[in-house]
């Protein structure tokens, strides 16, 4: 059974940091692009950051550039999202996702169940 399991969410004060982890199991994800999405109440799910399977290219939404860093450890089948200088508007459920090479992020293969991040002002 293929699973993506997020962890590391929680409540933090504005300006603080959190590190999210996404552990993949069930198969090898080393050939997949991995991404982090988020969905705030009343808003659509949006992509926050993504990383290629070789980790040679990353993408960040404008709203998180310079504050968030995505990384991956293919040996551990894990992807991370380091979030610094958190703002109340970063409050959302954060989801891990994977997609096969050559596909777009509208064609996600697997989703995690999400982890709540709440940033208090």
């Amino acid at each position: 059974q293929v699973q993506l399991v997020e962890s590391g969410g929680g409540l933090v004060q504005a300006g603080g940091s959190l590190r999210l982890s996404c552990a993949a199991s069930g198969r090898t994800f080393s050939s997949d692009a991995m991404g982090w999405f988020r969905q705030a109440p009343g808003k659509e799910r949006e992509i926050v950051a993504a990383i290629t399977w070789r980790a040679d290219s990353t993408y960040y939404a404008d709203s998180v550039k310079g504050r968030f860093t995505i990384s991956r450890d293919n040996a551990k089948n894990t992807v991370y999202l380091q979030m610094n200088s958190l703002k109340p508007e970063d409050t959302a459920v954060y989801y891990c996702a994977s997609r096969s090479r050559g596909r777009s992020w509208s064609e996600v293969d697997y989703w995690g169940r999400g982890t709540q991040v709440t940033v208090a002002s």
Side-chain angles (χ1 to χ4, degrees), residues 1 7 9-10 12 15 26 28 33 35 43 45 50 53-54 58-59 61 74 76 80 82 87 91 95 110 113 115:
Q1 181 181 2
S7 62
V12 65
T28 299
K43 295 188 177 182
R45 190 175 297 189
W53 69 284
R54 288 180 177 174
T58 55
Y59 163 84
N74 286 340
K76 295 182 178 179
Y80 306 96
Q82 178 67 44
K87 304 176 181 180
T91 295
Y95 298 89
Y110 300 103
R113 291 188 175 185
T115 185

Side-chain angles (χ1 to χ4, degrees), residues 26 40 43 92 94 108:
K43 295 188 177 182
Y94 283 71
V108 169

Side-chain angles (χ1 to χ4, degrees), residues 23-45:
S25 62
R27 69 175 186 83
T28 299
F29 284 79
S30 58
S31 296
D32 293 8
M34 303 294 293
W36 286 96
F37 288 70
R38 69 186 180 188
Q39 187 166 19
K43 295 188 177 182
E44 292 187 355
R45 190 175 297 189

